[in-house]
Amino acid sequence: MLKLLSSTSSRVHCLTTPTPSLRIKQEPNSVFYALGRLTGLTQRSPKNSFFRACFCSDSSNGSGSGSGSQPAVEVDEKGAESQSGSDSKASSAIVSTYPKPEDYLTVLALPLPHRPLFPGFYMPIYVKDPKLLAALQESRKRQAPYAGAFLLKDEPGTESSTSSETEKSVYDIKGKELFNRLHEVGTLAQISSIQGDQVILIGHRRLRITEMVSEDPLTVKVDHLKRKPYNKDDDVIKATSFEVISTLRDVLKTSSLWRDHVQTYSQHIGDFNFPRLADFGAAISGANKLQCQQVLEELDVHKRLQLTLELVKKEMEISKIQESIAKAIEEKISGEQRRYLLNEQLKAIKKELGLETDDKTALSAKFKERLEPNREKCPPHVLQVIEEELTKLQLLEASSSEFNVTRNYLDWLTVLPWGNYSDENFDVIRAQTILDEDHYGLTDVKERILEFIAVGKLRGTSQGKIICLSGPPGVGKTSIGRSIARALNRKFFRFSVGGLSDVAEIKGHRRTYIGAMPGKMVQCLKNVGTANPLVLIDEIDKLGRGHAGDPASALLELLDPEQNANFLDHYLDVPIDLSKVLFVCTANVVDNIPNPLLDRMEVIAIAGYIADEKMHIARDYLEKTAQETCGVKPEQVEVTDAALLGLIENYCREAGVRNLQKHIEKIYRKIALRLVREGSSNESVISGEVVQSAEAKAEVDETDQHAAANETAAEVESVGNSSHELKSESSVQTSDQPKDPKDATETEKLKETETSKAVEKVSVDASNLADFVGKPVFHAERIYDQTPVGVVMGLAWTAMGGSTLYIETTEVEQGEGKGALHVTGQLGDVMKESAQIAHTLARTILLEKEPANPFFANTKLHLHVPAGATPKDGPSAGCTMITSLLSLAMKMPVRKDLAMTGEVTLTGKILPIGGVKEKTIAARRSEVKTIIFPSANKRDYDELAPNVREGLDVHFVDDYSQIFNLAFDNNTGN
């Protein structure tokens, strides 16, 4: 009830205008005086000069009929309670009417959707049915303003707590259906006034429906109910009423609205008696409609008081909970307000004393302080933007979202190193030393970096370039970029664009987006703190393309020397000079890089390493790193050259050295495990020998001591066997340990030396290499020691480096006019076309060499390229295919140490190929001595390092006739 009677409730209203049918009579009865009449307590109360009618409704029905409430007014219940002699003197507020209320046995039935009407209270309802409204007006005109108010039952299948029938829906129910939905017990209600469709009812006495008279409007016959006789002096009834009054008093202390209810009721009804007290408590309580209906139907005064007491007790509990909630909230609010006021006062005091400024002033000071060192170097357009944003920051409220956007923007603008360049080192000799320390070989890459440094030294300044290092995985592309930064004394920043599909990663987000950030280049400049770093863009050939744009196109502005002086990031929205940045890109396959992007790069190809280079790299770099990583000392292990060579040739044939590094680390991990195991076992053996020698010496010393001194013998005899052993150990220590501490240290060192000597040095040789790395992965690429007829070795390029492959041809069947060619080996379209060209050209050459040989015209041939699971394609196998076909046709094998590559036209001309270095390395790995290259590739071969060309007999040809002479005229190699 308290929540219904609180000041925030919309369901409790107080009216200061009396209804027309009420006679106002002011009495000096106070709240406690009215309740105290039942207990014999009398108190003086102040005069009340106004009338207040109070309304209350069911707590479970938030929306009343029409106005959203179900009110009740306190009036006299004279008609219902006039039988009591003690009530005859009570003042009446009801105008006398004729006939009397108890004479009405047939009344109009009014449905009440939310709460029953109690005797002595009034309730406004809204009547939407025009016939019913007309009937009520007619009754009032006939001076018979009475009707029956009956509570409406809940619709079947719904809960009373969730019932929300409106007044309109109530009057949609008519006739017998409405009759069945009404509770039997209701209240005879006087029609006080009718204003429009609002009818004000005043409750008089209890009724019970007996039968239905008419359906539209619903008219019923009723019986007037009288309460059961009760004894006013019954102690149980008195005690129950006293408890009700006590509980009401407690509630009255916390709710002023309840006091208004009691005061108004006592003024216009008179003194409380037991039935009135029960009705009053139930009427103003917050109980639901069924509980109130139960009180209304109860005719036994004692039981009615008990029901009311339960309702009032619940109201008291709710009142306590409300009070505690209100107190907690009040304390919280007051505490926060107090803290806020104190903080504001503290800020004002500190500001007056100059001890502290506000947040916006402190932020502005921080940004200006950060910008001050680079103010002279900062471009004017950037300074202008910063000043405008600082002014804007002062005008914004700290709680606004725009304030945070501006603060973050200023944070990025002021943290960038505008015009702040690191001092570059143009010492070519130093750079050469650093590059040689970090990498073996790679002469062309080192030469290009030294050229860059030399140009910078002559010009006095260096311009940023875009270098693209392309090559197989594991050749050291990323580490080369780090070495270049160290040689140039530049800051190093690396980010990978592999799989990148969002343009915002390159160009940044718009500042209006939530969580907006600048692109990678702006983040790079913030991290390194200089405007001329070395930026390594890794895996540029693996750029993605998604719904967020094309990052490859976004990189054009970043990597174009003509545009990156005014690079525009979407977040900063001011041009940034990136012309001094040295960009180094890495890629495995250059063909995957878009041509517009590739056009802006200077490509340096890293073909890979031959076995000799891998040996040097393993000895000088990989082995040392593995020793440090695994904690193995160099003197504890020996890896022979034969073991390293076997590792390179049989396990790590890749162009790079990453796999070689993994295998070397694997060897050293197993060595570390072996050293630890052997060391642990040796320690236990050595400690066992020491114990045994100590016991032997103890026996000798103990015998000498017994012979020398009697008191020592007596001591030994008095102690048991355990003491004997203890004494022995102590005698050993005194006899063996030197008295000088220096001698003790030397003894410990000798013991450590003996332990280390006990651990044997681990040797890794070709014979036991498989114990460390398992069985060989690769076998010799040379399948044939002596190449049979129709088999020729070719050279191929792959993304992992170069490799050799055999092309084999055999005859399927012979017959007149059956000449045909069938190819297998997962060949691409280009290689299939090369096979057809080779077949046609071979027939022409055979016709020239052996005119009487009809081999190709009458033989069905099968040409196969082994490793059928590997897809193969490319324009460099024509020479090899022709040689294989001619070898079979003329029954002449090809030299075993010969390998060739090159594309052939139908006229026999040899076209240039790519991957000269990779193919040369593959030939050396397969122990090939003679290589045939196209003449156009001579310049590529001349650029190779001397150690790659060493021991090779290379022939450059431009017509197939030269290959024919090299392959078949000199067969001494077979």
Side-chain angles (χ1 to χ4, degrees):
M1 185 62 194
L2 284 178
K3 63 181 179 183
L4 297 172
L5 298 178
S6 64
S7 59
T8 59
S9 173
S10 63
R11 296 191 293 258
V12 177
H13 307 274
C14 293
L15 298 180
T16 56
T17 305
T19 57
S21 61
L22 299 179
R23 183 179 71 250
I24 303 174
K25 180 181 179 181
Q26 297 182 6
E27 294 182 359
N29 296 335
S30 66
V31 175
F32 297 116
Y33 176 78
L35 294 176
R37 291 295 298 269
L38 292 175
T39 59
L41 299 174
T42 56
Q43 294 181 4
R44 305 289 296 176
S45 65
K47 300 279 185 180
N48 280 317
S49 60
F50 63 91
F51 165 73
R52 179 173 298 163
C54 297
F55 302 83
C56 64
S57 66
D58 185 8
S59 61
S60 64
N61 296 285
S63 60
S65 60
S67 62
S69 62
Q70 286 296 323
V73 64
E74 297 82 349
V75 295
D76 186 21
E77 196 189 359
K78 183 177 179 181
E81 307 295 340
S82 57
Q83 290 92 354
S84 174
S86 60
D87 298 339
S88 59
K89 297 180 180 180
S91 62
S92 174
I94 301 176
V95 180
S96 299
T97 58
Y98 184 84
K100 296 181 180 179
E102 54 267 24
D103 297 334
Y104 287 90
L105 301 178
T106 302
V107 293
L108 293 169
L110 300 179
L112 304 179
H114 303 298
R115 287 181 69 86
L117 175 64
F118 281 89
F121 286 79
Y122 86 84
M123 177 186 294
I125 63 171
Y126 288 86
V127 179
K128 302 297 182 182
D129 186 357
K131 288 186 179 181
L132 180 60
L133 185 63
L136 292 174
Q137 291 174 342
E138 183 66 24
S139 297
R140 196 163 181 274
K141 288 178 182 178
R142 291 200 310 264
Q143 294 184 349
Y146 288 94
F150 300 95
L151 181 66
L152 194 68
K153 296 178 182 178
D154 292 327
E155 190 176 352
T158 61
E159 297 181 3
S160 61
S161 60
T162 59
S163 176
S164 58
E165 289 183 290
T166 61
E167 194 77 16
K168 182 178 179 181
S169 64
V170 168
Y171 288 104
D172 287 341
I173 308 172
K174 295 181 180 179
K176 193 168 185 179
E177 182 184 359
L178 179 61
F179 179 77
N180 294 332
R181 289 280 302 277
L182 296 178
H183 282 274
E184 289 185 1
V185 178
T187 307
L188 181 67
Q190 178 183 348
I191 305 170
S192 175
S193 65
I194 301 177
Q195 298 177 358
D197 59 353
Q198 185 185 42
V199 180
I200 297 179
L201 305 175
I202 302 176
H204 278 262
R205 58 176 57 208
R206 289 169 169 79
L207 302 175
R208 185 189 300 276
I209 298 176
T210 56
E211 61 178 305
M212 183 175 65
V213 177
S214 63
E215 293 187 3
D216 193 16
L218 181 64
T219 307
V220 296
K221 285 187 176 181
V222 295
D223 287 341
H224 291 257
L225 301 178
K226 296 182 180 180
R227 67 170 181 268
K228 295 180 180 180
Y230 69 97
N231 184 7
K232 296 181 181 179
D233 298 326
D234 189 343
D235 294 338
V236 176
I237 294 179
K238 283 185 179 181
T240 307
S241 63
F242 290 166
E243 185 63 26
V244 172
I245 294 171
S246 175
T247 307
L248 284 175
R249 283 181 173 179
D250 291 337
V251 177
L252 290 175
K253 294 178 182 177
T254 60
S255 175
S256 60
L257 292 177
W258 276 54
R259 284 196 291 273
D260 294 338
H261 279 297
V262 178
Q263 193 170 10
T264 305
Y265 193 91
S266 63
Q267 286 178 345
H268 300 284
I269 298 301
D271 297 337
F272 279 93
N273 55 27
F274 296 134
R276 289 178 182 175
L277 178 65
D279 287 346
F280 174 77
I284 66 173
S285 71
N288 61 41
K289 60 182 182 180
L290 295 180
Q291 292 174 327
C292 294
Q293 179 69 23
Q294 189 178 0
V295 176
L296 182 67
E297 294 176 358
E298 185 58 55
L299 300 178
D300 186 272
V301 175
H302 177 229
K303 292 182 179 179
R304 191 190 300 178
L305 281 171
Q306 286 182 326
L307 293 174
T308 301
L309 179 59
E310 292 180 9
L311 300 182
V312 178
K313 285 289 185 182
K314 289 181 182 177
E315 206 67 35
M316 186 61 206
E317 294 299 322
I318 295 174
S319 175
K320 291 179 180 179
I321 296 174
Q322 182 187 15
E323 186 178 2
S324 63
I325 292 173
K327 185 176 180 181
I329 294 175
E330 183 180 356
E331 289 178 355
K332 183 177 179 181
I333 294 175
S334 62
E336 290 178 355
Q337 289 178 341
R338 184 170 178 272
R339 190 179 299 107
Y340 174 77
L341 291 175
L342 290 175
N343 284 332
E344 291 299 319
Q345 292 175 359
L346 183 62
K347 287 181 182 178
I349 293 171
K350 287 187 175 181
K351 192 172 183 180
E352 287 293 328
L353 296 176
L355 299 177
E356 186 179 308
T357 57
D358 59 359
D359 294 340
K360 291 190 287 187
T361 307
L363 277 174
S364 300
K366 183 183 76 170
F367 293 144
K368 290 179 180 178
E369 182 182 358
R370 186 188 292 173
L371 182 66
E372 197 60 36
N374 296 331
R375 180 176 288 274
E376 299 298 327
K377 304 174 187 178
C378 189
H381 63 275
V382 178
L383 281 176
Q384 181 181 356
V385 172
I386 293 176
E387 294 297 334
E388 290 174 357
E389 293 296 323
L390 284 172
T391 305
K392 179 181 176 182
L393 187 71
Q394 293 297 324
L395 299 176
L396 292 172
E397 287 293 332
S399 58
S400 67
S401 59
E402 185 69 17
F403 180 84
N404 291 327
V405 173
T406 306
R407 180 186 62 188
N408 293 336
Y409 182 48
L410 279 170
D411 192 15
W412 280 101
L413 276 178
T414 54
V415 80
L416 293 182
W418 301 103
N420 186 16
Y421 302 102
S422 61
D423 296 331
E424 287 190 279
N425 192 326
F426 295 114
D427 188 350
V428 179
I429 306 300
R430 174 180 175 274
Q432 178 78 54
T433 305
I434 291 175
L435 292 174
D436 289 340
E437 284 178 2
D438 293 346
H439 297 278
Y440 180 83
L442 305 178
T443 308
D444 47 357
V445 182
K446 295 176 181 177
E447 197 69 23
R448 179 63 187 88
I449 301 305
L450 295 177
E451 291 171 5
F452 177 81
I453 295 174
V455 171
K457 185 172 185 179
L458 293 177
R459 291 188 56 195
T461 180
S462 63
Q463 281 297 112
K465 293 293 181 182
I466 293 90
I467 299 172
C468 181
L469 303 175
S470 68
V475 295
K477 299 184 295 295
T478 305
S479 58
I480 287 172
R482 190 175 284 104
S483 299
I484 294 172
R486 191 160 72 95
L488 294 173
N489 195 29
R490 287 192 179 209
K491 298 287 187 179
F492 178 77
F493 185 83
R494 172 194 170 273
F495 69 93
S496 177
V497 294
L500 187 69
S501 60
D502 192 356
V503 174
E505 292 288 333
I506 307 296
K507 299 276 290 179
H509 305 84
R510 299 290 181 188
R511 289 199 304 278
T512 52
Y513 297 161
I514 295 175
M517 287 187 66
K520 284 290 184 183
M521 274 313 303
V522 177
Q523 297 177 35
C524 160
L525 296 178
K526 175 186 176 182
N527 289 341
V528 299
T530 60
N532 63 336
L534 185 145
V535 178
L536 180 72
I537 305 177
D538 230 345
E539 311 293 349
I540 199 168
D541 59 328
K542 299 177 182 62
L543 271 172
R545 182 170 185 172
H547 67 280
D550 183 12
S553 302
L555 279 174
L556 294 177
E557 182 184 0
L558 182 66
L559 298 181
D560 192 345
E562 300 298 327
Q563 299 183 46
N564 60 15
N566 294 302
F567 177 74
L568 190 66
D569 185 88
H570 288 160
Y571 183 87
L572 292 186
D573 208 22
V574 292
I576 305 172
D577 184 11
L578 301 178
S579 60
K580 299 293 192 299
V581 178
L582 177 59
F583 291 98
V584 178
C585 307
T586 67
N588 295 128
V589 183
V590 179
D591 298 340
N592 295 339
I593 303 175
N595 285 333
L597 192 58
L598 184 63
D599 183 59
R600 289 161 170 80
M601 301 178 186
E602 182 179 346
V603 180
I604 300 176
I606 305 174
Y609 305 103
I610 61 175
D612 183 41
E613 290 175 330
K614 286 185 176 181
M615 284 287 292
H616 282 281
I617 293 171
R619 284 294 185 198
D620 298 340
Y621 304 97
L622 305 181
E623 204 172 3
K624 294 178 180 178
T625 305
Q627 288 173 357
E628 293 177 0
T629 304
C630 299
V632 178
K633 296 178 182 178
E635 61 271 11
Q636 291 178 311
V637 65
E638 179 184 2
V639 181
T640 63
D641 292 342
L644 280 179
L645 187 61
L647 193 64
I648 292 167
E649 292 181 348
N650 299 328
Y651 296 87
C652 311
R653 283 188 182 178
E654 297 83 3
V657 293
R658 182 175 292 128
N659 196 32
L660 179 60
Q661 180 182 5
K662 293 178 182 177
H663 278 75
I664 291 176
E665 289 177 352
K666 185 176 182 180
I667 290 173
Y668 273 88
R669 286 198 303 269
K670 290 188 178 296
I671 290 173
L673 178 59
R674 181 175 296 185
L675 290 173
V676 172
R677 281 178 175 171
E678 291 180 358
S680 300
S681 61
N682 288 333
E683 283 178 5
S684 62
V685 170
I686 292 171
S687 61
E689 292 175 354
V690 170
V691 170
Q692 290 176 2
S693 60
E695 289 177 354
K697 290 181 181 179
E699 291 177 0
V700 176
D701 292 340
E702 193 175 303
T703 306
D704 295 340
Q705 287 178 357
H706 275 296
N710 291 330
E711 54 272 13
T712 306
E715 267 184 4
V716 174
E717 287 176 358
S718 62
V719 183
N721 293 332
S722 59
S723 301
H724 250 318
E725 293 175 2
L726 216 60
K727 187 69 178 176
S728 307
E729 292 177 3
S730 62
S731 62
V732 170
Q733 291 177 359
T734 51
S735 61
D736 287 348
Q737 289 184 355
K739 297 180 180 179
D740 194 350
K742 293 182 180 180
D743 295 338
T745 307
E746 290 176 1
T747 305
E748 290 179 1
K749 288 182 178 179
L750 286 172
K751 287 183 180 179
E752 290 178 2
T753 307
E754 290 175 358
T755 304
S756 60
K757 283 181 181 179
V759 180
E760 294 182 1
K761 189 173 187 179
V762 180
S763 177
V764 181
D765 202 351
S767 59
N768 64 347
L769 181 62
D771 298 338
F772 293 92
V773 290
K775 295 180 180 180
V777 178
F778 298 101
H779 299 282
E781 290 187 0
R782 177 177 289 279
I783 303 175
Y784 306 101
D785 293 333
Q786 299 292 336
T787 52
V789 173
V791 177
V792 181
M793 181 186 290
L795 298 174
W797 177 92
T798 67
M800 299 294 291
S803 65
T804 60
L805 54 85
Y806 285 93
I807 293 180
E808 304 172 340
T809 307
T810 185
E811 61 180 67
V812 179
E813 60 177 327
Q814 286 189 345
E816 187 70 27
K818 287 191 176 182
L821 178 66
H822 177 62
V823 294
T824 56
Q826 270 209 71
L827 306 183
D829 293 337
V830 177
M831 287 193 74
K832 289 178 181 178
E833 293 176 357
S834 296
Q836 295 297 328
I837 295 170
H839 189 242
T840 303
L841 187 58
R843 296 182 67 170
T844 304
I845 296 173
L846 183 63
L847 188 61
E848 293 176 358
K849 301 294 182 180
E850 298 179 4
N853 191 346
F855 179 80
F856 290 111
N858 301 329
T859 307
K860 184 177 181 181
L861 302 175
H862 183 179
L863 186 146
H864 176 66
V865 183
T870 306
K872 295 172 276 293
D873 199 8
S876 64
C879 294
T880 316
M881 289 179 175
I882 295 173
T883 308
S884 175
L885 292 169
L886 290 174
S887 172
L888 183 64
M890 297 186 300
K891 308 299 181 183
M892 295 175 60
V894 181
R895 295 170 52 183
K896 67 176 184 178
D897 62 345
L898 176 67
M900 63 185 68
T901 181
E903 183 59 39
V904 184
T905 65
L906 283 173
T907 59
K909 294 295 182 183
I910 308 299
L911 301 179
I913 48 89
V916 172
K917 183 176 181 181
E918 289 87 346
K919 293 178 178 179
T920 306
I921 293 172
R924 287 181 61 89
R925 189 165 57 235
S926 297
E927 299 179 358
V928 172
K929 303 298 181 185
T930 305
I931 304 177
I932 298 176
F933 280 132
S935 297
N937 292 110
K938 188 175 187 307
R939 58 183 178 83
D940 298 323
Y941 182 79
D942 292 338
E943 292 178 357
L944 299 179
N947 61 338
V948 178
R949 296 179 294 174
E950 184 181 357
L952 294 177
D953 181 17
V954 181
H955 299 271
F956 298 96
V957 297
D958 52 14
D959 192 273
Y960 186 76
S961 59
Q962 298 171 266
I963 299 177
F964 185 87
N965 296 331
L966 290 168
F968 299 110
D969 289 353
N970 184 9
N971 287 319
T972 57
N974 288 328

